[in-house]
Amino acid sequence: MNLAEREMEIPASEPERQYYFIERARQDLEKMKEAAGRQLTFCVTTFGCQMNARDSEKLVGILEQVGYIEEPDEEKADFVIYNTCTVRENANQRVYGRLGQLGHIKKKNPHMMIALCGCMMQKPEVVEKLKKSYRFIDLIFGTHNIYKFAELLATRMESGRMVIDIWKDTDKIVEDLPSERKYPFKSGVNIMFGCNNFCSYCIVPYVRGRERSRDPRAIIREIERLVADGVVEVMLLGQNVNSYGKTLEEPMTFAQLLKEIEKIDGLERIRFMTSHPKDLSDELIEVMGQSRKICRHLHLPVQSGSSRILEKMNRRYTKEHYLELVKKIRAAVPDISLTTDIIVGFPGEMEEDFQETLDVVRQVRYDSAFTFIYSKRTGTPAAAMEEQVSEDVVKDRFDRLLTEVQKIAGEMCSVHQGAVQTVLVESVNEHDPELMTGRLSNNLLVHFPGDESLIGKLVDVSLDECRGFYYIGRQI
Ligand code: 5AD
Ligand code: SF4
């Protein structure tokens, strides 16, 4: 077949087009395997959040269909892909550091290819730097065209040249592409993409684009298929799940979506992430209170306890509003576990502001909190703000915050001592093969004697001994 004929047979519509390129890449890989005289392997390394973790499962799904075999050790793999994060500067630094090492390994392996994708690639200065100083990279793409991975891979294999394809934004959502799951019994499910909030410190709206929700029917269909395939727990994913459905042709609320998902037979647990306090509705609180399947855990990022700083962050709620919300949630779902994200050292943060943050931490009593040092992201409004806080002041506040958060988290964990609760068994304990590790509805980990046959099952355990942030238990 000549080139023109070959171009004509490429399907124009998705996902058919990608299935076509999977087949083409499979044929290309066959030739590469013959030349190498062995199987070729891949390793997908994920940086950052659960969204990226889910995207990586899609990459794995495609690589497996193309015929690569998974190799957990990145230094031994023939195809290495980094799915990157850029939410804080240290995420970028880690990628550059590891890339340097990969470059050396590639010199020794003529069959090796290196690809980069994810949020960091959406920044033009990053791609410029990679093009200039990391010429050994084979393929670079961004967050908006990840569904095109098979096509880009085939293009790279056939052209032998570095392939770069980054889109500024998209309104496209491609359904029904292959995807692998890390765990057979639980899965992330995207319900929306992008973010429209523009918190002033955050790069996400610039690298993940405008908010768009998936059609509820596509979400339900995906979950039904997952359940038929053995999944009992889903984590609904979006940057701001509370604003789900606003952009749909037939608008629908997140609470309504949850009610539909609850009806799916065989599905036992529903989690979701992340909620923005400004959009958390009374309707959602009511649905959570009544649900049998929604887990007793809410991640509700506060970012700061100071209303003055919250305004500069463009969060669109005050300290009082946030505390009021927490009160309502605790009233409707008394056993709920609350977790949060907090940023220390936002520009202009004074000791009084920091004290307000500590006050919120003490009033809410979080079960756990992710604490971050503010990281300046070029292009965001906060990066241009004056009064950036000095490093030693930030470090001191960060340490004080961490001490408080950990003290309270330990106390919150210990209140369950002696209770019997259900865990979803996830794995054999990493340190002790006699123990199994499971997760409670409220997200706490429990380790208890058992065997591998329990993985993926829901079992009742007695929470015998609190060890700081987890329990040692016993199956009942
Ligand atoms: N600096 C520090 N932390 C940040 N986050 C987002 N942007 C920044 C930044 N520039 C944190 C927020 C968010 C979490 C995912 O990362 O707390 O909730
Ligand atoms: Fe970033 Fe704010 Fe959007 Fe979260 S809600 S992704 S912090 S802009």
Side-chain angles (χ1 to χ4, degrees), residues 87 194-205 239-240 274 276 303 315:
V87 78
C195 180
N196 282 355
N197 291 318
F198 291 95
C199 300
S200 64
Y201 50 82
C202 188
I203 197 84
V204 169
Q239 302 295 347
N240 177 13
T274 293
H276 194 306
Q303 313 297 4
R315 291 289 289 176

Side-chain angles (χ1 to χ4, degrees), residues 257-322:
L257 177 71
L258 281 172
K259 278 203 221 164
E260 291 305 311
I261 295 175
E262 174 110 14
K263 290 182 198 152
I264 298 175
D265 274 339
L267 181 67
E268 303 286 347
R269 282 181 168 185
I270 305 169
R271 299 184 186 276
F272 53 83
M273 177 162 278
T274 293
S275 292
H276 194 306
K278 81 173 165 63
D279 297 313
L280 197 134
S281 64
D282 291 347
E283 185 196 12
L284 175 63
I285 296 175
E286 194 188 319
V287 169
M288 287 183 77
Q290 289 166 358
S291 169
R292 250 188 353 94
K293 297 185 179 175
I294 301 174
C295 287
R296 285 357 206 180
H297 173 215
L298 181 65
H299 185 65
L300 195 62
V302 66
Q303 313 297 4
S304 168
S306 154
S307 297
R308 193 179 74 85
I309 295 293
L310 286 169
E311 192 174 352
K312 289 179 67 173
M313 287 177 160
N314 193 30
R315 291 289 289 176
R316 286 172 275 176
Y317 55 84
T318 60
K319 176 187 182 187
E320 291 68 33
H321 174 198
Y322 185 91

